Amino acid sequence: MKLQDFKGSLPLSIMALSVGLLLSACSDNDHDNNMPEPPAPPVERSFTLTVTNLTANQPMSPLALLATSNGYHAWQSGEPASLALEQLAEGGDQSGYSTEMDGVDMVISGAGILAPGASESLTLTQVETAVSSLSLLTMLVNTNDAFSGLDAIDLSQMAVAQTQSFYTPAYDAGTEANSELKGTIPGPADGGEGFNAGRDDVDRVHLHPGVISQDDGLSDSVLHASHRFDNPVLRVTIQRTR
């Protein structure tokens, strides 16, 4: 008997079962072919900051670029300086931002002293979901506790190739009296002490009133007229490059 003849004699129930098994096998194959694809790798964003020292004779301490989140602020005018800010504003030491601050995700350091008239570029790269804001700090080293920079600049809406520009003033950390005395200034005008844990000033951050210098009649000052500065003291450009 030929197969087709035998098939014709099969009960309908057996034939239905055979068709059902065949369809079930096809369904399993379709399921295997539609397995979900693995998640895409995280998207990275890159930002380049270019910082220019606009002063005549105020070298800047190595730049500290902070990638921040959780509403973090590097400083707030009218409020006491944090210990990390005091260390930076009095001695140019940025290490406190790597160890102390909740909300600082990354610290990128400049190559060295930023001389008057000089520029330096720093690049920050993080996954898209991690980058929310950016802060920048540097000390005017021929002062007692002056600093400048940016606080909590929002990066979340910047498009590729978009640029933001800022001019930043000098701030006074309010932690050390602006005596300008020999031995109290860490920069090349004096080579004196940097950070001192004692606070003998108003203990709140505010705009810096400027230096006086011995040329203006402050006889005990180690500073000269060339160390004076007008605001702004920095030009900062941020560009999203990726």
Side-chain angles (χ1 to χ4, degrees):
M1 180 182 293
K2 294 183 180 180
L3 179 59
Q4 54 267 34
D5 296 333
F6 180 75
K7 181 179 177 183
S9 64
L10 284 175
L12 291 177
S13 58
I14 295 178
M15 292 181 62
L17 177 61
S18 300
V19 172
L21 290 174
L22 179 61
L23 292 176
S24 175
C26 291
S27 176
D28 287 344
N29 288 338
D30 289 344
H31 178 72
D32 291 341
N33 292 335
N34 292 318
M35 290 292 290
E37 296 182 1
V43 176
E44 288 190 336
R45 300 195 300 178
S46 293
F47 302 87
T48 296
L49 268 77
T50 300
V51 183
T52 302
N53 182 345
L54 301 177
T55 70
N57 196 9
Q58 283 289 343
M60 303 289 172
S61 67
L63 302 171
L65 174 59
L66 316 180
T68 60
S69 59
N70 299 326
Y72 172 82
H73 288 276
W75 73 88
Q76 291 183 286
S77 293
E79 298 295 326
S82 66
L83 177 58
L85 176 58
E86 181 183 10
Q87 292 170 337
L88 183 138
E90 293 182 7
D93 178 8
Q94 60 183 259
S95 62
Y97 288 103
S98 298
T99 60
E100 172 180 292
M101 295 298 181
D102 179 28
V104 176
D105 302 321
M106 182 185 300
V107 179
I108 299 173
S109 300
I113 293 293
L114 183 63
S119 298
E120 182 178 0
S121 294
L122 302 176
T123 298
L124 166 67
T125 299
Q126 279 192 316
V127 295
E128 186 171 26
T129 56
V131 178
S132 58
S133 61
L134 172 153
S135 295
L136 173 76
L137 298 102
T138 183
M139 178 194 182
L140 286 69
V141 298
N142 283 328
T143 67
N144 288 100
D145 62 342
F147 71 96
S148 189
L150 298 171
D151 174 50
I153 301 300
D154 184 12
L155 302 176
S156 61
Q157 302 303 313
M158 286 190 69
V160 175
Q162 184 179 352
T163 298
Q164 297 187 56
S165 296
F166 304 86
Y167 288 87
T168 70
Y171 294 92
D172 191 321
T175 57
E176 181 177 311
N178 299 326
S179 66
E180 304 178 19
L181 293 174
K182 182 174 178 58
T184 68
I185 293 175
D190 180 25
E193 179 184 56
F195 168 68
N196 186 318
R199 295 192 174 190
D200 59 357
D201 202 1
V202 296
D203 203 16
R204 57 179 173 80
V205 178
H206 55 282
L207 285 173
H208 201 285
V211 302
I212 299 176
S213 87
Q214 58 184 262
D215 295 328
D216 297 314
L218 186 59
S219 59
D220 291 335
S221 174
V222 296
L223 303 180
H224 296 277
S226 67
H227 299 117
R228 293 196 299 249
F229 51 85
D230 295 319
N231 288 322
V233 297
L234 297 178
R235 181 175 67 243
V236 184
T237 300
I238 306 174
Q239 182 179 39
R240 182 177 173 185
T241 54
R242 183 170 65 179

